[in-house]
Amino acid sequence: MPNRPPAQDDTAAQLAAITQARDVAVAANQAKTRFLMGLSHEIRTPLNAIHGYAQLLERGAAISPSEAGRIIRRSSEHLADLVEGLLDISRIESGVLKLNRETVALRSLLEQVAAMFRIEAGNKGLDFAYNVVPNLPVWVMADERRLRQVLINLLSNAIKYTETGSVTLNVRYRSMVAEIEVVDSGIGVAPEDMERIFLPFDRGGGRAAGVAPGIGLGLALSRMLSQVMGGDISVKSAPGQGSRFILKLLLPEPNSPPQDQTRGLPIGYDGQRRTILAVDDDPGQLALWQELLRPMGFNLFVAGSGGATLSLAELSRPDLVLLDVSMPGLNGWEVAQRLRDRFGRSIIILMASGNAAELVGAQARGLPETGLHDGFVLKPVDQNLLFEQLGRHLGLTWLFEGAATGPAAASALPEAARAHLAELARLARTGHIRSLSAALAALAAAVPAAQPLVQRLTAALDGFDLAQFQKLLDEQAQKNGETG
Ligand code: ADP
């Protein structure tokens, strides 16, 4: 083979490099043009709706004001989403997005999200399954709002792009990495769209646009967020065969579980008595609020309708209102508006709903978007989350059982725990950490009521503090002996 002179080689290489650089620049420019076109389309559609309905109202046209109001509100929410999404993307791209690093109750967060989407799926006639491995930590370090945002995006897409069949959430955990899989039996993604769908404003060339409305920002943002959270999102799919979105995230466990959370539910709070007004048209729900809140020492008033709320609020001057969203007559949002008009921000308003759809949009955007409410409570009520929210909004210091004798004070456990505790005591004397962890897992599985104790023991074990471990076991044995 004749050798080419070196000079010619150089020129060819330079030419190839220039061509490649040009292709990259052209592609970047095209992406920018697509982005701007997508953006203006996304802004124009809701703006047209707002403009059109505003003109109709101005002219006094025969349209229902509540219908016009609903469309204008939806359109402006859509615009607010868009602005939020764009700001997030630019924060990430310029590296100024600050992630919180907080202790997150991962299991309870996932359960809450699964509960929301079980209802959503049910409303659409889809089956919903949630599978989680037993070794998933109770607590991890993460940015809760961002984590929830990504989960909500993947799950709402799965439901949005599935007409029949099922949506499944699978969660696994191995050496600090959580693998969260959202599987659906929906329209699927074409091979040529696999990467495109992760670009801003790109909804793929497939059927998505005909199936459901969307901005095409959710996946772009979710992927970027998952990358800053030390992970990524990938997808496996084929048209008509459903999709499997896989979110991997680095979610390390904290060194020890947060103090307050290891003590179970509070029994009351410190300081001045607070007043809560609970509003619901369902007497069963009102009875539940009474059962949950009265024993905690709240001054509780209940109203069975939106109409009764205002006068009762006037009389009782509550610190906080728990307000059902959907009620006949005045609905929760209308009542919230009147409460704000009358009392300003001196009252904390938590909206309660069993319908995830009413919460998803606002949650995904980050609360609160309208200023009408301070937070949401999802029904059925998760007591831990409820008390966490009440504590945060009312600035309460919760009291726990046995607090006078220190946070670690134990309560008696069922008989089934006895053999496990004896085994733990035996292993503690040998100091064999691995066997101790296995025995703790066995206790947690066999006796759910032992969860708080298991958490405290695990914390001691994680810190190799066998003296503390022994002390906790002794305290427990004493408690069981006293009452058992
Ligand atoms: P949007 O849903 O607003 O269009 P996303 O960024 O969340 O925006 O999704 C981008 C595109 O990815 C969608 O338009 C759709 O084509 C595709 N997609 C996302 N999730 C799914 C899914 N579960 N099944 C099929 N296609 C999906």
Side-chain angles (χ1 to χ4, degrees):
M1 254 207 294
N3 269 341
R4 259 205 236 140
Q8 215 171 327
D9 257 3
D10 277 359
T11 322
Q14 275 172 357
L15 201 63
I18 292 171
T19 314
Q20 199 190 357
R22 189 205 54 196
D23 290 349
V24 170
V26 168
N29 213 24
Q30 281 170 349
K32 198 172 103 193
T33 308
R34 260 206 318 272
F35 180 88
L36 288 175
M37 275 167 53
L39 179 59
S40 37
H41 172 79
E42 283 308 321
I43 294 179
R44 207 170 293 249
T45 316
L47 264 187
N48 280 343
I50 293 175
H51 191 225
Y53 274 91
Q55 279 180 317
L56 288 174
L57 286 174
E58 215 174 8
R59 264 194 260 130
I63 52 164
S64 133
S66 67
E67 171 69 4
R70 196 174 57 83
I71 290 174
I72 292 176
R73 180 176 55 77
R74 282 249 181 97
S75 305
S76 44
E77 279 172 6
H78 184 89
L79 285 171
D81 274 354
L82 191 69
V83 171
E84 257 324 297
L86 285 171
L87 282 177
D88 274 345
I89 287 182
S90 88
R91 280 186 205 117
I92 296 172
E93 285 191 333
S94 58
V96 296
L97 181 91
K98 289 261 178 301
L99 282 185
N100 277 335
R101 202 176 144 73
E102 58 210 335
T103 314
V104 177
L106 180 63
R107 274 175 179 274
S108 126
L109 169 70
L110 286 164
E111 269 157 31
Q112 192 200 16
V113 170
M116 270 163 71
F117 283 95
R118 180 166 290 119
I119 304 170
E120 277 274 278
N123 288 344
K124 216 178 156 182
L126 302 173
D127 288 333
F128 185 88
Y130 169 46
N131 305 309
V132 58
V133 288
N135 73 337
L136 186 80
V138 177
W139 302 102
V140 293
M141 299 306 293
D143 183 323
E144 180 162 0
R145 187 165 86 83
R146 298 309 190 171
L147 176 58
R148 182 183 276 125
Q149 183 178 353
V150 176
L151 290 171
I152 286 180
N153 178 253
L154 292 180
L155 282 162
S156 41
N157 275 351
I159 290 181
K160 190 158 101 171
Y161 297 112
T162 303
E163 286 310 317
T164 55
S166 63
V167 169
T168 307
L169 172 64
N170 295 321
V171 183
R172 290 185 283 271
Y173 189 86
R174 239 179 87 194
S175 40
M176 298 205 286
V177 176
E179 190 175 297
I180 299 171
E181 211 178 52
V182 178
V183 189
D184 67 56
S185 60
I187 63 171
V189 181
E192 64 274 18
D193 287 340
M194 292 289 191
E195 278 307 310
R196 274 179 67 178
I197 55 172
F198 290 100
L199 298 174
F201 298 117
D202 205 322
R203 305 194 63 207
R207 298 203 293 125
V211 171
I215 316 181
L217 270 188
L219 277 184
L221 196 53
S222 295
R223 174 173 266 181
M224 286 181 181
L225 281 173
S226 62
Q227 288 169 346
V228 273
M229 292 193 284
D232 204 359
I233 300 182
S234 58
V235 59
K236 291 187 184 132
S237 178
Q241 315 221 326
S243 311
R244 181 180 294 264
F245 282 84
I246 302 152
L247 165 69
K248 282 193 186 159
L249 288 177
L250 184 67
L251 295 176
E253 288 182 71
N255 292 334
S256 57
Q259 273 278 301
D260 272 7
Q261 315 284 357
T262 56
R263 294 181 255 176
L265 289 177
I267 51 168
Y269 56 88
D270 218 4
Q272 191 197 341
R273 197 152 188 225
R274 309 302 170 93
T275 301
I276 295 183
L277 170 57
V279 188
D280 205 299
D281 59 318
D282 172 6
Q285 181 64 38
L286 285 182
L288 184 68
W289 288 133
Q290 304 201 27
E291 210 172 291
L292 283 173
L293 299 173
R294 286 236 163 95
M296 295 289 157
F298 289 108
N299 224 345
L300 184 72
F301 291 84
V302 294
S305 71
T309 310
L310 270 296
S311 47
L312 200 53
E314 205 67 65
L315 279 173
S316 60
R317 291 306 174 102
D319 299 292
L320 183 145
V321 180
L322 280 163
L323 194 49
D324 183 32
V325 173
S326 48
M327 291 183 289
L330 282 183
N331 71 32
W333 294 113
E334 289 162 335
V335 177
Q337 181 68 61
R338 292 181 191 201
L339 287 171
R340 281 280 182 257
D341 291 347
R342 170 70 186 85
F343 301 101
R345 304 208 67 86
S346 68
I347 291 183
I348 292 153
I349 301 180
L350 298 184
M351 303 304 290
S353 172
N355 178 357
E358 290 171 335
L359 313 186
V360 172
Q363 286 225 1
R365 282 193 295 277
L367 301 169
E369 91 293 20
T370 56
L372 274 186
H373 62 302
D374 299 277
F376 274 121
V377 177
L378 185 72
K379 294 189 281 187
V381 177
D382 174 328
Q383 298 188 22
N384 276 313
L385 288 175
L386 174 71
F387 290 124
E388 185 275 321
Q389 274 180 301
L390 293 179
R392 185 155 40 86
H393 286 294
L394 293 170
L396 304 177
T397 308
W398 290 112
L399 298 175
F400 293 86
E401 198 178 4
T405 53
S411 49
L413 285 175
E415 186 55 32
R418 201 173 282 268
H420 290 275
L421 292 172
E423 176 65 0
L424 281 167
R426 189 185 69 77
L427 290 169
R429 286 191 289 275
T430 69
H432 198 289
I433 303 288
R434 192 125 15 108
S435 315
L436 279 168
S437 323
L440 277 177
L443 171 60
V447 187
Q451 194 61 30
L453 173 69
V454 169
Q455 283 181 354
R456 287 198 294 270
L457 288 169
T458 307
L461 203 58
D462 286 348
F464 297 101
D465 189 349
L466 284 178
Q468 169 70 3
F469 194 95
Q470 190 64 60
K471 185 167 158 256
L472 289 168
L473 280 180
D474 290 347
E475 277 172 10
Q476 188 62 53
Q478 219 177 14
K479 192 82 187 178
N480 279 358
E482 272 168 24
T483 49

